[in-house]
């Protein structure tokens, strides 16, 4: 990787669903250790952009690069599968609805991929699970099933599961949107902790206060374009575009 | 002449052996029906068309013809092309595949009902599609379809009686042997009925226990 290359580089991303243009030529650079928030109204394409980074949703056009490696490069199907499975190990993702595996314990949720993909022994995998759970404050829940946890705890387990793969970047898609208000803070605290540890993060969120307090850069999206991007204090305090202003005016309380 | 169950104890050994064979057929054919059901379901949903269509044709064949005919084909028919299977093996294969086709339908619906977030959760960690299917999707599909699959296994237990016609000494066949010596059909058929009922109760208890254990993990 040349020193001038951004850590994550999205170039001219376009995504169509039939006639619907969901992403219209979006470019985004993220540096190592940077924390980027993506905000915008519902349907503006935030999730689609985030999910393009690990090719969960494939772009119609454009390129996604991670550390000088093209994520969505054109390869024959079999080779591409190998390539993308390898890359996804380095890109952690956290979903609005957690997507924990309900038939597995917390321990098994966390150790499944490290054991299958990295060949970790039982002992090492267990140690890893314990470490990651302690990182999110759930060291005592290792043998619980997801159904026995609160929403906030589920989401923290989901974060621990992603962290157990030792990812280079973490993607969050409205990680707190489906949580009861009193459970939001415990997840935010974990994310703030990751920020302190210099984890590179891209965070789609409806929580403006949180975005303002942890992020280095904010992207405001509307109808498939980045309307405005910049430092949080500028985007939130002195937005330049009408659309940004009216969106923020509707979100004064910090939550959608 | 009235009912006289005093004739039964003398043949208890034979009846018990018959019950053992019935249980053995049910367990082995049940396992085949489950494994086959998963395999057919996964192929039907995810397989390359080159395997998907033959499997669909095979399923259609098994659904459209009587089990008895299938057993005859496997036991008597295959001999003609040089495949001479022992009666027990032919029986469990026929019975197992027959019910695998029915289980496959149920499991397919179960797979489709698993939230697509589960696949995304697996793929995002770097698991391949195959790894995601067999570690994440199929186990959940099976948990969610345990009651109807359990019903199929119980139906399979009852249909195991058909295997008597190719000469496996399961309960029905054992009873018939006893009857041919004593000319007491009522007593021995009732004894067989009681045995089926007992096996049925045990099977239901086991299935319920499995279901309860799976309850928390879903
Ligand atoms: N699989 C799909 N097929 C068709 N249209 C889709 C699909 N997925 C998303 N869209 C459309 O793409 C647009 C952008 O969706 P996206 O989920 O990226 O929005 P978002 O900004 O994340 O919204 P929200 O805040 O509600 O999560 C929406 O209009 C949506 O209806
Ligand atoms: Mg979204």
């Amino acid at each position: 990787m040349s020193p001038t290359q951004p850590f994550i580089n999205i170039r001219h991303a376009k995504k169509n669903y039939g006639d619907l243009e969901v992403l219209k030529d979006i470019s985004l650079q993220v540096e190592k250790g940077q924390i980027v928030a993506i905000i915008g109204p519902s349907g503006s394409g935030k999730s689609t952009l985030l999910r393009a980074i690990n090719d969960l949703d494939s772009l119609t056009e454009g390129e996604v690069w991670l550390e000088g490696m093209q994520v969505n490069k054109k390869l024959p199907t079999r080779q591409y599968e190998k390539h993308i499975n390898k890359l996804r190990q380095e890109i952690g993702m956290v979903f609005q609805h957690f997507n924990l595996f309900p038939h597995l314990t917390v321990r098994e949720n966390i150790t499944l991929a490290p054991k299958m993909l990295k060949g970790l022994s039982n002992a090492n995998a267990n140690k890893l699970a314990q470490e990651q759970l302690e990182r999110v404050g759930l060291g005592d829940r290792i043998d619980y099933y997801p159904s026995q946890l609160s929403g906030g705890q589920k989401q923290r387990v989901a974060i621990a599961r992603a962290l157990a793969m030792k990812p280079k970047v973490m993607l969050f898609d409205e990680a707190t949107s489906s949580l009861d208000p009193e459970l939001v803070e415990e997840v935010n605290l974990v994310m703030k902790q990751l920020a302190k540890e210099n984890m590179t993060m891209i965070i789609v969120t409806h929580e403006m206060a949180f975005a303002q307090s942890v992020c280095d850069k904010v992207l405001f999206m509307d109808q498939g374009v980045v309307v405005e991007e910049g430092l949080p204090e500028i985007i939130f305090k002195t937005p330049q575009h009408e659309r940004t202003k009216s969106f923020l005016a509707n979100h004064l309380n910090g939550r959608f | 002449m009235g009912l006289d169950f005093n004739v039964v104890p003398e043949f208890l050994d034979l009846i018990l052996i018959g019950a053992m064979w019935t249980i053995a057929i049910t367990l082995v054919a049940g396992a085949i029906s489950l494994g086959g059901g998963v395999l057919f379901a996964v192929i039907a949903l995810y397989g390359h068309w080159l395997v998907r269509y033959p499997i669909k044709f095979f399923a259609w064949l098994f659904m459209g013809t009587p089990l008895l005919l299938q057993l005859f084909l496997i036991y008597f028919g295959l001999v003609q092309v040089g495949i001479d299977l022992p009666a027990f093996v032919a029986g469990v294969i026929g019975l197992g595949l027959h019910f695998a086709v029915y289980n496959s339908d149920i499991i397919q619906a179960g797979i489709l009902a698993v939230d697509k977030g589960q696949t995304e959760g697996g793929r995002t960690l770097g698991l391949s599609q195959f790894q995601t299917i067999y570690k994440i999707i199929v186990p959940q599909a099976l948990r969610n379809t345990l009651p109807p699959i359990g019903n199929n296994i119980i139906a399979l237990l009852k249909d195991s009686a058909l295997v008597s016609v190719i000469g496996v000494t399961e309960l029905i066949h054992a009873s018939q042997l006893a009857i041919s010596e004593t000319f007491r059909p009522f007593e021995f058929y009732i004894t067989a009925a009681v045995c089926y009922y007992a096996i049925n109760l045990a099977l239901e208890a086991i299935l319920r226990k499995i279901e309860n254990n799976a309850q928390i993990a879903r």
Side-chain angles (χ1 to χ4, degrees):
Chain A
M1 182 169 90
S2 77
T4 54
Q5 213 165 25
F7 191 60
I8 293 169
N9 195 0
I10 300 174
R11 303 183 56 208
H12 304 294
K14 290 181 193 160
K15 173 73 178 179
N16 301 342
Y17 284 111
D19 287 340
L20 182 68
E21 289 183 273
V22 177
L23 300 179
K24 305 167 186 164
D25 195 6
I26 291 191
S27 293
L28 167 66
Q29 282 80 43
V30 181
E31 299 305 331
K32 200 175 165 85
Q34 211 176 23
I35 299 166
V36 177
I38 304 177
I39 61 170
S42 185
S44 56
K46 306 180 297 294
S47 297
T48 309
L49 178 63
L50 195 72
R51 292 156 59 89
I53 295 173
N54 62 1
D55 202 44
L56 220 45
D57 287 337
S58 303
L59 292 177
T60 312
E61 264 180 63
E63 297 170 359
V64 179
W65 294 76
L66 170 69
E67 263 197 324
M69 178 104 93
Q70 190 178 349
V71 175
N72 63 339
K73 74 175 156 197
K74 296 268 168 295
L75 286 172
T77 314
R78 258 163 208 278
Q79 269 166 279
Y80 184 71
E81 278 297 303
K82 268 199 164 153
H83 155 84
I84 196 69
N85 290 340
K86 193 95 196 126
L87 265 177
R88 280 178 181 154
Q89 296 184 30
E90 313 193 320
I91 307 174
M93 188 164 204
V94 175
F95 302 87
Q96 180 176 353
H97 298 290
F98 328 126
N99 297 354
L100 288 180
F101 309 133
H103 61 301
L104 302 179
T105 62
V106 166
R107 179 201 307 276
E108 291 163 337
N109 263 276
I110 298 175
T111 57
L112 177 71
K115 275 158 94 169
M116 288 187 83
L117 303 175
K118 297 183 174 176
L120 253 64
S121 68
N122 271 330
N124 284 339
N126 285 336
K127 193 160 145 267
L128 176 71
Q130 189 66 46
E131 281 165 13
Q132 298 309 323
L133 280 174
E134 269 156 24
R135 213 165 155 190
V136 300
L138 289 172
D140 55 341
R141 293 290 190 273
I142 195 162
D143 287 316
Y144 282 53
Y145 279 96
S147 63
Q148 299 169 307
L149 302 176
S150 74
Q153 291 172 334
K154 282 182 195 163
Q155 195 58 296
R156 282 145 72 198
V157 170
I159 294 173
R161 180 175 77 180
L163 290 174
M165 293 304 285
K166 308 274 154 82
K168 291 177 174 157
V169 50
M170 287 283 285
L171 312 175
F172 293 85
D173 194 355
E174 300 195 32
T176 56
S177 287
S178 65
L179 298 179
D180 292 337
E182 71 272 18
L183 301 178
V184 168
E185 200 44 37
E186 63 186 61
V187 174
N188 281 347
L189 277 176
V190 169
M191 290 169 70
K192 281 182 184 157
Q193 185 56 40
L194 288 178
K196 268 196 212 128
E197 294 167 16
N198 284 323
M199 174 64 82
T200 310
M201 299 199 266
I202 304 178
I203 302 170
V204 171
T205 183
H206 283 297
E207 285 190 83
M208 301 308 142
F210 179 75
Q212 195 167 354
S213 66
V214 298
C215 296
D216 306 310
K217 176 156 102 174
V218 177
L219 243 68
F220 172 67
M221 282 181 69
D222 192 16
Q223 295 179 9
V225 296
V226 176
V227 177
E228 198 164 346
E229 97 177 72
L231 296 170
E233 50 270 32
I234 293 178
I235 301 286
F236 287 113
K237 302 231 169 79
T238 55
Q240 300 302 301
H241 289 74
E242 269 321 305
R243 279 195 273 172
T244 321
K245 284 178 196 164
S246 73
F247 173 80
L248 288 173
N250 288 328
H251 287 75
L252 271 185
N253 297 334
R255 266 180 76 78
F256 198 31
Chain B
M1 78 192 174
L3 280 184
D4 179 9
F5 281 95
N6 286 327
V7 296
V8 175
E10 193 189 333
F11 292 89
L12 209 56
D13 281 3
L14 182 62
I15 302 295
L16 282 181
I17 288 172
M20 286 304 162
W21 279 110
T22 291
I23 293 171
I25 293 168
T26 305
L27 291 182
V28 178
I32 293 174
S33 79
L34 206 58
V38 169
L39 189 69
F40 299 158
V42 168
I43 290 173
L45 290 177
Y46 303 100
H48 191 275
W49 64 269
L50 273 176
V51 275
R52 198 169 68 234
Y53 284 105
I55 286 288
K56 286 195 165 172
F57 175 72
F58 164 86
W60 173 79
L61 219 62
F62 262 72
M63 282 220 175
T65 54
L67 175 55
L68 191 58
L69 176 73
Q70 292 157 17
L71 291 174
F72 284 158
L73 274 173
I74 293 173
Y75 187 58
F76 300 115
L78 287 183
V79 175
Q80 261 177 283
V81 292
I83 305 174
D84 190 0
L85 297 171
F88 176 79
V89 175
V92 294
I93 290 177
L95 202 56
L97 289 181
H98 183 85
F99 278 91
V101 169
Y102 287 96
N103 282 342
S104 162
D105 267 10
I106 296 171
I107 295 167
Q108 280 181 54
I111 288 176
L112 293 173
V114 174
D115 184 76
K116 92 179 199 315
Q118 291 294 308
T119 305
E120 293 185 349
R123 298 307 305 272
T124 304
L125 290 167
L127 299 180
S128 68
Q129 187 189 35
F130 179 73
Q131 290 169 325
T132 307
I133 290 169
Y134 96 94
K135 280 290 186 181
I136 296 168
I137 307 302
V138 165
Q140 290 183 55
L142 284 178
R143 270 178 178 70
N144 299 337
T145 52
L146 271 178
I149 288 179
N151 289 344
N152 270 353
I153 305 273
I154 286 170
L156 184 151
L157 160 66
K158 288 182 272 186
D159 280 356
S160 71
L162 284 171
V163 179
S164 62
V165 297
I166 57 172
V168 178
T169 315
E170 45 64 74
L171 261 173
I172 295 291
H173 194 72
S175 308
Q176 284 166 337
L177 289 178
I179 292 162
S180 67
E181 288 194 30
T182 58
F183 305 106
R184 291 275 183 179
F186 220 175
E187 285 85 347
F188 282 100
Y189 283 140
I190 287 177
T191 305
V194 169
C195 290
Y196 275 115
Y197 201 72
I199 299 172
N200 218 326
L201 284 180
L203 194 56
E204 271 176 32
I206 294 169
L207 289 169
R208 226 186 343 265
K209 197 161 171 67
I210 297 175
E211 268 172 50
N212 286 341
N213 283 345
Q215 213 42 254
I216 195 173
R218 54 191 293 180

